[in-house]
Amino acid sequence: MPPSSQPSPPSAPLMSRVLDTAFFRRTDTAAIARELLGQYLFARGTDGQLAGGRIVETEAYAGENDRANHGAGGRRTPRTEVMFEAGGVVYMYVCYGIHHMLNLVTGPAGRSDAVLIRALEPTHNTSILQARRSRKLTRELAGGPGRLTHALAIDRSYNRLPLPSEHLWLEAAPTPADNSILAGPRVGIDYAGADAELPYRFRIADSPWTSPASGRPA
DNA sequence: CGCAGGATGGGCT
DNA sequence: GCCCATCCTGCGG
């Protein structure tokens, strides 16, 4: 966990509006995942330094019938419990022993819905992001869910943080037009059977900060 | 450029 | 034990 005696979120260039719990508590998680494209994400990392960027790729994990969802079938465990909370909290877990995944819990209490943040266009304090990753300012800096959390220096200790908090928050920006958003199947979830085909992965079509597009306009 | 293989740990059967 | 909502390195062409 980062030091908590840091200054509050700055009136950043963005500071148009901080997304609050009402944004996350709506019931259509796929729509939220889509609307999160273009929004700005800021985090104060474990080193206490603030950085952020624009979300360019997300995935929705929606409901107990979605077998790719950690909470599928209403499976409540110490890990998944946070997914059943009302929208507006952070769900983080470790994948492949190395990578920390950032998810934003959505929907009403009792449903295991969340959105995985998969790629970021670095925009604020990019030199800090680069230093943490020892990378140049390219797609590889924060494109990919593990790379993104490494660049932001956030980990499992951020699990259950409310949105917004002084450690992590989102700021509103225009959502891209439908014709510049691509929807396609999620990746890395072959075990989910037919649910792996659901078009729950959303990307900004022409962004150089996410993988080259395949999929259908949203 | 592409691909093979290793790393590494929490969560659950 | 085994399975991952993954990434990086190193080697070959």
Side-chain angles (χ1 to χ4, degrees):
Chain A
M1 199 64 103
S4 55
S5 58
Q6 295 288 334
S8 300
S11 292
L14 313 153
M15 221 49 178
S16 46
R17 190 181 108 243
V18 174
L19 298 183
D20 60 11
T21 52
F23 177 88
F24 299 102
R25 280 185 194 177
R26 290 171 297 144
T27 53
D28 189 342
T29 297
I32 295 173
R34 182 192 161 288
E35 291 172 32
L36 280 169
L37 295 177
Q39 313 306 302
Y40 285 80
L41 170 66
F42 292 94
R44 204 174 292 286
T46 52
D47 57 8
Q49 297 195 281
L50 174 67
R54 184 169 170 259
I55 295 171
V56 295
E57 181 176 346
T58 61
E59 279 178 1
Y61 288 84
E64 300 185 1
N65 295 327
D66 176 7
R67 292 181 51 212
N69 189 328
H70 288 169
R75 187 174 60 202
R76 287 176 182 254
T77 69
R79 180 180 63 153
T80 65
E81 185 64 34
V82 64
M83 292 193 75
F84 291 86
E85 290 186 17
V89 293
V90 170
Y91 167 43
M92 293 204 70
Y93 70 93
V94 178
C95 183
Y96 295 102
I98 305 174
H99 308 293
H100 298 261
M101 302 286 137
L102 168 64
N103 302 261
L104 311 180
V105 175
T106 60
R111 292 185 49 162
S112 61
D113 295 352
V115 176
L116 170 67
I117 308 301
R118 289 193 56 91
L120 212 60
E121 170 185 344
T123 59
H124 284 68
N125 283 342
T126 58
S127 61
I128 291 172
L129 299 173
Q130 290 185 56
R132 288 167 174 157
R133 292 255 309 133
S134 302
R135 283 292 185 286
K136 299 196 186 303
L137 190 57
T138 67
R139 176 190 308 162
E140 283 71 41
L141 180 56
R147 296 167 177 169
L148 180 155
T149 57
H150 185 194
L152 292 175
I154 60 178
D155 59 25
R156 268 210 72 62
S157 69
Y158 287 61
N159 194 41
R160 285 185 177 273
L161 278 181
L163 292 168
S165 77
E166 62 182 309
H167 299 302
L168 195 143
W169 70 96
L170 285 87
E171 295 190 18
T175 300
D178 280 346
N179 62 10
S180 62
I181 293 178
L182 293 177
R186 296 167 292 183
V187 293
I189 53 161
D190 295 341
Y191 62 90
D195 293 330
E197 326 243 332
L198 292 169
Y200 280 178
R201 179 193 192 191
F202 300 94
R203 278 177 289 175
I204 296 181
D206 51 2
S207 173
W209 301 100
T210 185
S211 49
S214 61
R216 305 283 304 165

